[in-house]
Amino acid sequence: MEDVKRLTALQLGKALRAGELSIPEVTALALEEARCAGDNAFITLTEERAMERAEALQQRRGGAEGPLYGVPMALKDNVCTKDVPTTCASRMLENFVPSYDAAVVEQLVRAGGVSIGKTNMDEFAMGSTSETSFFGPVLNPWDRERAAGGSSGGSAAAVAGRSCWYALGSDTGGSIRLPAAHCGLTGIKPTYGTVSRRGLIAHASSLDQIGPLCKDAADCAAVLDAIRCHDPLDATSRKGAYGRLLENLTEDVRGMRIGLPVDCLGAGVDHRVREAVLAAAEVFSGLGARVEEIRFPVMEYMVPAYYILASAEASSNLARYDGVKFGRRAEEYENLSDLYRKSRSEGFGAEVKRRILLGTFVLSAGYYEAYYQKALRAKALIAEAYREAFSQCDLLLTPVAPATAPRLGEQLTDPVQMYLGDIYTVGANLAGLPALSMPCGRDGSGLPIGAQLVGPALGEQQVLNAAHAFQRATDHHREGAAQ
Amino acid sequence: MEMGRELVLGMAELARLEVAEDELDELAGQMERMSAYMEVLGSLEADREGGGEEVSEENTLREDRVHPSAAREALLKNAAGADGEMFVVPKAVD
């Protein structure tokens, strides 16, 4: 059964359809691994529910199941699940139980997914290491003394630790791609608007997107096919033709123009990360792609613009947590304002409070123009820089992060240092573009290094094709964590 | 820019958050570092019209038809203070 855990989601789906394995059997295997993993990847394991679902799916098999039918998976704990606690890894929502499923959950149910539980994360998706969780940090399966990346660290650890075959995360500034890179997985943030945010507990509404963390690009294609749609109940949902990414996946990248922004490979990047990304560029050249260095002169605006806009939106989104309709309510208070103040102060952790304060500041009278409106201008310049880049090339290739997984606690003492680690990922969120992280090597300690492919809007097919081609020519994505 | 204790306390009041006395200085220092880092945007013109997003969509409208709302019980079940019919809060108006 150890070999079963090494399968990709698509390989497992095929084995289930062929009757080589049963859905209850693999679900029980997943749950046992999740129980024993010791990586704090899960906040809630839904064992009884998962086994009931597995039995029902096994009974219902008729031969026309989709590629992910019966495959055990996990959901980040900011995705609402009916009658299952959804905590956002926060004391504020410790006892919150939604009365509805998020749109992506409805779609994975239709696709035959078996959720084994809700994964740990940075509190309210604010963080890059999955250490700010009220329920304790997520441990990286590659090295338990290191962080798994964030904020979808639990989802990454669950897949990398072989507790499930794929997981959903959310990405506001890199929160799928960074844990994917630190845990040796492939993860993709889709084009803004192509995956419904209905039922995703909001961090920054103009930046948030749900996406998959998987063992390879083909699995990502299959999961995206299942979850992308136009949702009339999400006002930011984009109409389009969805559902054929896996069918159209190809490893032919001949003639593809891949831009290598030199501004992303200078000082500040660990030399082993730089070498691994340049080696990935060589692989693409060998496959017939045209790799060219390009200038991308907006890097200095990325992190400031992102943190101003994301914290501004977060301060607005988190205003709903006031102890009245849901979430933690203080037990002692003198009046309504005091109820709000005490409930919020007791419910939120330090990083969340810091970002709410920052967001309040940049939106406040006297500072709004100097910060928020200038950040909007920077966002427009960044979007324009991407459009200019994509007039010359089909994809951009960059590092995912300046370094590999940090040691636990290393990044918590200096928030600005932590924010700087997002420099390569936030741009795709600001511009609403698809961006994928894939393993491309290891550092001197054996830790995985991620390369990022960014595409133009609705360019998921070319991003996935490039990643698929890379993974057909290399083995980095097959190297699992030692445990 | 300088982020004094008074500014941080002012923002905390707007955000309905309490900041303990022994947290103030460290928090002010962190926010000062963050705002200093953001000064790089100082040379840009303020954008008063929007963010130049890649995705632009028309307004999403639906037919003007009545649909059932969520059940009262479902809406109240996550409230720590509810009386079975309504959310209960301290008196706000004299």
Side-chain angles (χ1 to χ4, degrees):
Chain A
M1 289 304 250
E2 278 307 306
D3 289 340
V4 174
K5 293 188 208 171
R6 290 179 192 279
L7 295 176
T8 66
L10 285 172
Q11 288 169 341
L12 178 62
K14 190 175 173 191
L16 291 171
R17 282 195 304 282
E20 294 163 17
L21 295 158
S22 78
I23 300 168
E25 185 180 15
V26 299
T27 302
L29 183 66
L31 287 167
E32 189 187 348
E33 184 62 45
R35 267 196 304 273
C36 303
D39 51 18
N40 208 23
F42 285 86
I43 292 173
T44 304
L45 273 180
T46 50
E47 302 190 58
E48 202 175 305
R49 181 181 280 253
M51 290 309 301
E52 282 173 8
R53 168 89 171 144
E55 295 287 351
L57 288 177
Q58 185 71 24
Q59 295 302 318
R60 215 184 293 160
R61 283 170 66 234
E65 294 80 43
L68 298 172
Y69 188 94
V71 177
M73 54 83 178
L75 302 165
K76 188 175 180 181
D77 207 18
N78 57 356
V79 174
C80 282
T81 40
K82 187 172 191 287
D83 300 330
V84 175
T86 300
T87 71
C88 285
S90 178
R91 194 180 190 212
M92 178 60 80
L93 293 180
E94 189 180 2
N95 300 308
F96 176 66
V97 181
S99 54
Y100 69 101
D101 279 331
V104 291
V105 175
E106 290 174 348
Q107 287 162 282
L108 287 180
V109 165
R110 273 195 285 274
V114 182
S115 170
I116 66 165
K118 308 299 292 297
T119 58
N120 204 354
M121 52 184 278
D122 279 304
E123 187 184 1
F124 281 104
M126 296 180 194
S128 305
T129 56
S130 296
E131 292 178 278
T132 66
S133 168
F134 174 63
F135 300 98
V138 178
L139 310 183
N140 192 318
W142 289 77
D143 178 346
R144 297 290 171 99
E145 293 179 8
R146 292 192 185 258
S151 60
S152 308
S155 288
V159 179
R162 302 195 180 117
S163 297
C164 59
W165 281 264
Y166 70 94
L168 290 191
S170 71
D171 191 311
T172 305
S175 290
I176 285 173
R177 292 162 283 157
L178 194 58
H182 287 343
C183 292
L185 299 176
T186 306
I188 181 168
K189 178 204 86 68
T191 301
Y192 184 80
T194 59
V195 176
S196 172
R197 290 183 305 108
R198 174 168 55 94
L200 172 68
I201 296 179
H203 168 180
S205 309
S206 77
L207 305 170
D208 294 341
Q209 274 291 270
I210 294 172
L213 289 103
C214 302
K215 293 176 186 172
D216 65 13
D219 277 3
C220 282
V223 178
L224 273 190
D225 279 341
I227 63 174
R228 291 196 316 166
C229 75
H230 172 244
D231 182 3
L233 295 179
D234 173 356
T236 61
S237 180
R238 187 171 183 150
K239 292 190 178 88
Y242 301 119
R244 316 231 358 222
L245 292 171
L246 183 62
E247 184 184 323
N248 292 326
L249 200 62
T250 170
E251 58 193 88
D252 185 1
V253 294
R254 287 171 301 172
M256 189 180 269
R257 300 166 302 163
I258 298 180
L260 202 54
V262 295
D263 310 80
C264 295
L265 292 167
V269 184
D270 182 284
H271 71 91
R272 288 162 297 203
V273 172
R274 187 187 304 115
E275 280 162 18
V277 173
L278 290 175
E282 285 297 316
V283 170
F284 280 118
S285 292
L287 292 171
R290 260 186 24 227
V291 180
E292 292 168 2
E293 286 187 351
I294 64 166
R295 291 307 313 275
F296 199 66
V298 289
M299 295 305 295
E300 63 175 342
Y301 299 144
M302 292 284 197
V303 171
Y306 170 77
Y307 274 97
I308 288 172
L309 296 172
S311 62
E313 293 188 26
S315 73
S316 177
N317 278 324
L318 270 64
R320 68 193 65 179
Y321 302 109
D322 57 8
V324 177
K325 293 185 288 297
F326 41 72
R328 182 173 188 84
R329 180 172 176 133
E331 288 181 6
E332 292 177 11
Y333 44 84
E334 291 177 9
N335 51 46
L336 187 59
S337 271
D338 205 34
L339 169 67
Y340 296 158
R341 208 178 294 111
K342 288 199 161 61
S343 300
R344 290 165 64 76
S345 303
E346 289 172 15
F348 293 138
E351 181 62 29
V352 169
K353 287 182 191 169
R354 192 163 26 237
R355 296 203 192 191
I356 291 174
L357 288 171
L358 184 63
T360 305
F361 169 67
V362 301
L363 289 172
S364 63
Y367 301 106
Y368 177 80
E369 190 173 295
Y371 289 93
Y372 184 75
Q373 286 190 318
K374 293 208 176 188
L376 286 179
R377 179 74 189 123
K379 186 183 181 198
L381 290 173
I382 289 165
E384 178 54 37
Y386 277 111
R387 277 192 290 273
E388 172 62 29
F390 290 125
S391 71
Q392 303 167 47
C393 42
D394 300 306
L395 293 177
L396 299 181
L397 173 66
T398 75
V400 174
T404 51
R407 294 196 173 279
L408 290 166
E410 193 177 287
Q411 287 198 349
L412 294 179
T413 52
D414 186 348
V416 175
Q417 268 312 112
M418 180 172 68
Y419 300 165
L420 288 174
D422 297 337
I423 187 166
Y424 303 122
T425 49
V426 297
N429 300 86
L430 290 166
L433 304 177
L436 173 146
S437 167
M438 61 183 186
C440 68
R442 306 244 218 127
D443 73 1
S445 304
L447 295 170
I449 296 170
Q452 176 174 241
L453 292 166
V454 184
L458 300 177
E460 276 80 349
Q461 192 71 68
Q462 67 215 56
V463 168
L464 287 163
N465 285 350
H468 183 60
F470 182 81
Q471 289 176 344
R472 295 287 284 183
T474 60
D475 283 328
H476 302 296
H477 61 293
R478 292 198 188 92
E479 296 165 7
Q483 287 85 356
Chain B
M1 65 159 280
E2 202 179 315
M3 289 268 192
R5 293 159 64 100
E6 290 307 309
L7 185 58
V8 174
L9 284 172
M11 295 304 116
E13 178 55 29
L14 285 175
R16 297 294 186 267
L17 287 173
E18 288 179 336
V19 179
E21 182 64 32
D22 59 3
E23 290 176 320
L24 256 182
D25 288 330
E26 187 185 1
L27 198 46
Q30 287 171 348
M31 290 189 62
E32 193 168 312
R33 282 200 63 206
M34 285 189 262
S35 71
Y37 185 67
M38 290 161 188
E39 294 296 327
V40 71
L41 303 182
S43 60
L44 298 177
E45 293 276 328
D47 185 321
R48 291 175 182 79
E49 292 173 14
E53 284 158 19
E54 182 69 34
V55 175
S56 63
E57 294 287 333
E58 31 186 77
N59 274 331
T60 299
L61 301 176
R62 62 175 176 82
E63 284 182 33
D64 186 13
R65 273 196 287 134
V66 174
H67 295 272
S69 298
R72 184 192 294 268
E73 191 184 321
L75 292 174
L76 290 176
K77 76 170 184 177
N78 281 300
D83 66 359
E85 279 209 0
M86 289 178 261
F87 301 106
V88 177
V89 297
K91 189 176 178 187
V93 179
D94 287 326

